[in-house]
Amino acid sequence: MKTFSRVLLAGGGAAALALTSGAVVASASAVTGTAAPIVLRAAPGYKAPKIFGTTFQKDPKHDFTKRIHSRHDGILRGRITHLRGGVAEYEPIRWKKGTHTEGRFVGPPEGDVMAYASRVSRGLVYLSALGCGKVGTDLTVDRGTGLGAKRCSRSIVAKRLERPALITVHKGAIVKIQEIYTP
């Protein structure tokens, strides 16, 4: 998992480093003359929301009366609704308990403008709960969390629109999408 971390350099100094693509391991010797390894990571370790939360997540700093734009940094329980030219539109979702079934994820009511748009990072991490091939042929879900565990290529995102997921936004870009398994 890619998370932001403080990198302690030999000699007690600290540097906070972030990259927009994959994790990188470097040698501290290039920076400090010692042999201690440095691990640079791609995105902060934001707190994940309840996977089956029954309310929409709030973004108090977001102004929905202005044009559609990125959500603030963090993890949103949501779904990608459109993907165009490297920009994804997405909306929050919540779990609605059913009367005859366990329930399902639902988006905002018709006419509600709770939508965001963010660019998709070149280093996007897409973790599928349904495998990378044909949907439903290979379950790749972490049984402990109910979240996708298999890393798939970025091209799969366009084929999996409307799937419930945890969407991580960092510096205005979507850096991670982790599918939520729903039978």
Side-chain angles (χ1 to χ4, degrees):
M1 181 185 314
K2 296 178 181 175
T3 57
F4 183 77
S5 65
R6 289 193 161 266
V7 180
L8 295 176
L9 302 175
L17 303 171
L19 300 176
T20 57
S21 61
V24 176
V25 177
S27 172
S29 62
V31 179
T32 64
T34 67
I38 297 176
V39 178
L40 307 178
R41 301 189 184 236
Y46 300 114
K47 184 176 187 241
K50 287 184 179 179
I51 296 170
F52 292 97
T54 56
T55 60
F56 293 114
Q57 289 172 257
K58 304 287 186 209
D59 187 358
K61 299 176 190 172
H62 194 85
D63 186 356
F64 289 105
T65 63
K66 306 228 185 236
R67 65 175 178 76
I68 189 169
H69 59 282
S70 184
R71 184 177 199 282
H72 286 84
D73 291 354
I75 301 174
L76 175 73
R77 181 184 53 252
R79 63 179 164 211
I80 307 288
T81 55
H82 300 323
L83 187 62
R84 281 185 300 255
V87 174
E89 290 183 20
Y90 52 103
E91 66 183 7
I93 58 174
R94 67 179 182 86
W95 183 253
K96 181 177 181 180
K97 294 179 181 176
T99 54
H100 298 296
T101 63
E102 290 180 27
R104 62 189 171 99
F105 282 105
V106 295
E110 188 70 33
D112 196 332
V113 289
M114 288 180 70
Y116 306 97
S118 298
R119 64 185 166 79
V120 178
S121 170
R122 279 184 276 159
L124 175 72
V125 173
Y126 183 79
L127 298 171
S128 172
L130 303 171
C132 298
K134 186 177 177 184
V135 174
T137 58
D138 182 27
L139 289 179
T140 54
V141 64
D142 178 326
R143 297 190 194 285
T145 63
L147 297 172
K150 177 158 177 120
R151 187 170 181 167
C152 299
S153 72
R154 173 186 165 131
S155 65
I156 297 295
V157 175
K159 297 175 185 174
R160 303 275 175 90
L161 294 179
E162 301 291 330
R163 293 282 315 150
L166 296 182
I167 302 167
T168 304
V169 176
H170 180 65
K171 293 186 178 179
I174 297 174
V175 295
K176 182 178 177 184
I177 300 173
Q178 189 170 19
E179 280 185 349
I180 300 171
Y181 176 71
T182 54

